[in-house]
Amino acid sequence: MNRRGSGLGLFALLVYLFLYAPILVLAALSFNESRSSALWEGFTFAWYLKLLQNAQVMQALRTSLIVAFVSTVFSTVLGTAAALAFHRHRFRRGAAIEALFALPIVVPEIVIASSMVLLFAALSLRLGLLTVVLAHVAFSISYVVVVVRARLAGFDRTLEEAAMDLGAGPWRTLWTVTLPLCAPAILAGALLAFALSIDDYVITSFVAGVGSTTLPLQIYSMVRSGVSPEINAVSTLLLLATSLLLLAAHLLERGKPARLCAAPAGLGLALLAGPFLIGGPAAAAGEKVLNLYIWSNYIAPETLAKFEARHGVKVNVDLYDSNEALLAKLQAGNANYDVVCPSNYAVAILARQELLHPLDLTALPNLAHVDPAFLDRPHDPGNRLSIPYFWGTTGIAYRKSRTGPIDSWAALWEPRFKGRILMLDDARETLGIALLLSRDGHGVNETDERALRQAKELLLVQKPLVRTYNSADFDQVLLAGDVWLAQGWSGQFARAMDEDPDIEYVVPKEGSSFFLDSLAIPRGAPNPALGHAFLDFVMEPEIAAEICMTMRYSTPNRAARALLPAAIRDHPAIFPPPDVMNRVELLEDVGDATVLYDRLWTEVKSAR
Ligand code: SPD
């Protein structure tokens, strides 16, 4: 090979390495004995075995397979029919009609996703398995049309004419000549549709309701509580299976013999279906289900297992990381949740919009254990709609050895920490601290437009220093050493402090906000009685204490607090001393200014 050739080869190798190195690292780490990605402790299949025992992952895999199978059948039939129609008939404005079919391939997924949600809401269709299947059919059809149409372009029509000359009718010709000749393309289209469906995250996350969590949604929700080797294992399997299916589709499309394509297709399907067949059973038919929609890092699976065992039910959990995400789901009107977890100001918004189910306080005897200081608050007088669940402060956690002592929000604007700063991805929280830092002394509940615009400008100044905006696993990012200072919520930082003594938490001297998160039952919840049982369960002193110990957010339950070990009860990040409480302000409903907060925050995030 000459020098030019080997140079090009090296260049190609580097490009491939750039493309595939992250995937190779992920696959390698899925066999790492250690939980930590930082050190290799030996080869193991343990994470793959653990995966098989993870009921939630297995359930998500089943859902993905059902959705992929049904949507593939429909999109293949409809897509093939459309491709044949375009091939055989000359329509008026045929080119435009055909282009319309290809549109979903180029339209941004986010546009398809939000328009689907609007359509389903207009049709009063509850978000769930059906809406996911409909959405997947809608985006897969285009791919089937394109693949089959490409094959038909080179199709020899004289074969059909010969069949007809020999007396075959149109149907017979279709079955005996056209379809067999197009079979490789139809199969390729079907495999493509299957792989796309198994893989889709964006559209599915919009149109999925409770009980329709697919594998990509499950993986993402697991990632939000920290990347574990189990996630690496499931991602590797998913990657391998979809790559094999796409390879089979590609071979078929290139006209390779069916037996050559059968191996990758069969292996890909087996990889997906294997765990499906071996894994534990799904929720039993007819079993009662509680659908819980809650912040990530807010309840441990062990606590949910206790509720399941006590009530003989199954709990489906979906996670979110902002009040805005919760509001959007409930406002769309077709979510299927029994219990949700809005912050106090979101309760006020939901109450105004009549989106919450009135509580039957006689079914909540454990409310008596809650500290009266947290009851009958302005956002929900008389606790007619919600019960307090957790509270906490917003502050900065930092790596002492890297930053030295920190006591001011201004540290998050210091150029020496460029690229080492994490901010919450939350309109109220980020604009809130920018308001506190402004010279005119605004509070975190400011509604004045000029003040808010100034706060936005301050966030724009800070943006080049910020490594990431993250409201989910900000504690993990700090623990991993990727950032040195992080704005975030107290509970997760209290956990991080226990894991790494180099981490400190402070509520800055300028003051800060605190939040009070509630549990509530949405209007139209499928099972409000079970929802009440759950609310009462989490207010049992032992359970409330367990939740506080596992999650480290602050419990408003007086009886539970008495049960906590001193290390938690006296932890300054979990139950701050009076001087800290004196400088924090509860985030309140800001009424019409809510929209302005959202708009300004979007402008900050989208600015270059
Ligand atoms: N990961 C759980 C965090 C809960 C924080 N809720 C409060 C939000 C107030 N803006």
Side-chain angles (χ1 to χ4, degrees):
M1 209 190 312
N2 60 20
R3 273 189 36 210
R4 190 158 164 260
S6 51
L8 278 177
L10 183 69
F11 180 69
L13 189 76
L14 287 175
V15 171
Y16 274 102
L17 208 62
F18 172 71
L19 289 178
Y20 290 103
I23 294 174
L24 291 177
V25 170
L26 173 122
L29 286 175
S30 70
F31 298 107
N32 184 5
E33 233 169 61
S34 162
R35 262 205 162 266
S36 154
S37 52
L39 68 164
W40 177 265
E41 274 180 7
F43 186 90
T44 181
F45 279 115
W47 304 115
Y48 287 85
L49 293 175
K50 226 172 153 218
L51 203 59
L52 294 178
Q53 291 150 9
N54 186 324
Q56 276 185 329
V57 173
M58 286 300 130
Q59 181 56 35
L61 182 55
R62 278 186 199 98
T63 307
S64 274
L65 287 174
I66 292 168
V67 169
F69 182 75
V70 178
S71 64
T72 299
V73 169
F74 278 97
S75 54
T76 306
V77 171
L78 294 172
T80 305
L84 283 170
F86 288 131
H87 175 66
R88 292 202 162 171
H89 304 287
R90 294 279 154 261
F91 294 104
R92 249 159 51 95
R93 308 201 199 295
I97 298 175
E98 205 171 336
L100 272 183
F101 254 96
L103 212 54
I105 298 177
V106 286
V107 170
E109 278 199 70
I110 197 81
V111 176
I112 301 187
S114 36
S115 54
M116 291 259 171
V117 172
L118 290 177
L119 176 72
F120 294 144
L123 296 174
S124 302
L125 263 185
R126 271 190 188 276
L127 299 183
L129 211 54
L130 176 64
T131 50
V132 176
V133 169
L134 288 174
H136 283 216
V137 171
F139 72 70
S140 308
I141 285 184
S142 314
Y143 292 89
V144 178
V145 172
V146 168
V147 173
V148 178
R149 191 77 175 91
R151 171 80 179 193
L152 287 170
F155 183 79
D156 185 358
R157 287 214 64 181
T158 56
L159 294 171
E160 282 179 326
E161 283 160 14
M164 293 219 190
D165 287 347
L166 292 171
W171 281 108
R172 185 122 192 243
T173 309
L174 179 73
W175 280 112
T176 52
V177 179
T178 318
L179 286 181
L181 284 172
C182 295
I186 296 172
L187 213 57
L191 287 174
L192 191 60
F194 191 87
L196 287 170
S197 168
I198 284 282
D199 221 20
D200 181 72
Y201 176 81
V202 177
I203 297 178
T204 315
S205 67
F206 275 68
V207 297
V210 282
S212 53
T213 302
T214 59
L215 195 55
L217 299 193
Q218 178 65 31
I219 293 176
Y220 184 58
S221 110
M222 286 163 78
V223 169
R224 282 188 289 178
S225 342
V227 178
S228 81
E230 259 175 289
I231 300 175
N232 300 338
V234 73
S235 306
T236 307
L237 277 181
L238 191 59
L239 185 88
L240 206 59
T242 44
S243 309
L244 284 165
L245 291 180
L246 287 174
L247 173 67
H250 176 72
L251 291 176
L252 279 168
E253 229 184 312
R254 304 276 314 265
K256 301 285 176 211
R259 63 192 153 70
L260 200 71
C261 312
L267 198 59
L269 289 173
L271 273 179
L272 289 170
F276 177 74
L277 298 174
I278 305 165
E287 189 180 17
K288 267 203 202 155
V289 174
L290 176 94
N291 297 313
L292 174 65
Y293 195 35
I294 192 165
W295 294 85
S296 58
N297 292 297
Y298 240 27
I299 195 154
E302 306 84 68
T303 311
L304 295 176
K306 282 190 184 158
F307 181 76
E308 290 181 329
R310 175 136 14 128
H311 290 270
V313 297
K314 181 168 165 14
V315 180
N316 276 335
V317 190
D318 282 347
L319 302 175
Y320 58 86
D321 292 301
S322 74
N323 280 302
E324 291 69 30
L326 166 69
L327 292 173
K329 266 272 182 226
L330 296 188
Q331 285 161 353
N334 42 3
N336 230 355
Y337 297 109
D338 295 301
V339 174
V340 292
C341 185
S343 296
N344 52 312
Y345 58 92
V347 170
I349 296 173
L350 291 169
R352 242 193 347 262
Q353 296 169 349
E354 299 186 358
L355 288 174
L356 295 179
H357 182 96
L359 294 182
D360 173 5
L361 294 186
T362 61
L364 304 172
N366 286 322
L367 192 60
H369 299 300
V370 174
D371 184 337
F374 294 97
L375 298 175
D376 197 20
R377 308 280 307 199
H379 66 271
D380 182 18
N383 290 89
R384 287 180 313 102
L385 300 169
S386 66
I387 58 128
Y389 176 63
F390 263 149
W391 65 275
T393 57
T394 304
I396 304 176
Y398 56 97
R399 214 163 246 297
K400 287 182 282 194
S401 59
R402 298 288 193 168
T403 63
I406 299 287
D407 68 350
S408 165
W409 287 117
L412 299 177
W413 271 258
E414 280 191 38
R416 67 186 168 121
F417 297 134
K418 183 172 181 179
R420 295 294 180 180
I421 294 169
L422 177 151
M423 294 288 287
L424 285 170
D425 184 357
D426 187 300
R428 293 296 308 273
E429 300 284 4
T430 45
L431 286 160
I433 64 155
L435 284 163
L436 286 174
L437 271 184
S438 67
R439 264 170 283 125
D440 310 327
H442 297 285
V444 293
N445 293 307
E446 184 59 66
T447 55
D448 176 64
E449 180 162 351
R450 231 168 68 97
L452 281 164
R453 288 200 177 279
Q454 272 170 9
K456 172 197 138 179
E457 291 307 319
L458 210 50
L459 293 175
L460 285 178
V461 170
Q462 183 207 29
K463 192 167 179 185
L465 310 179
V466 175
R467 169 117 173 201
T468 176
Y469 296 103
N470 177 332
S471 297
D473 59 346
F474 45 86
D475 49 330
Q476 299 298 321
V477 182
L478 183 67
L479 276 171
D482 295 342
V483 297
W484 298 341
L485 302 102
Q487 180 202 23
W489 294 306
S490 49
Q492 281 160 259
F493 284 148
R495 269 156 64 189
M497 285 165 81
D498 289 349
E499 267 186 58
D500 186 340
D502 191 29
I503 288 175
E504 196 60 73
Y505 176 71
V506 65
V507 173
K509 60 182 181 200
E510 295 86 0
S512 184
S513 57
F514 77 103
F515 54 86
L516 177 56
D517 292 343
S518 311
L519 291 182
I521 301 177
R523 196 183 63 192
N527 202 338
L530 197 56
H532 278 83
F534 185 77
L535 265 50
D536 204 46
F537 171 78
V538 297
M539 289 190 291
E540 267 176 32
E542 293 74 17
I543 299 294
E546 171 184 308
I547 300 175
C548 176
M549 279 194 290
T550 47
M551 296 295 124
R552 304 288 165 100
Y553 279 98
S554 327
T555 179
N557 192 308
R558 199 160 46 177
R561 195 168 165 184
L563 300 176
L564 295 173
I568 304 258
R569 211 175 40 229
D570 303 331
H571 197 302
I574 306 178
F575 295 104
D579 64 304
V580 172
M581 288 314 290
N582 284 340
R583 58 175 190 270
V584 292
E585 188 184 351
L586 184 64
L587 284 176
E588 306 276 10
D589 173 23
V590 287
D592 293 343
T594 305
V595 184
L596 183 58
Y597 270 88
D598 286 347
R599 188 167 353 116
L600 294 175
W601 179 232
T602 309
E603 283 171 19
V604 172
K605 284 206 296 175
S606 54
R608 289 176 161 256

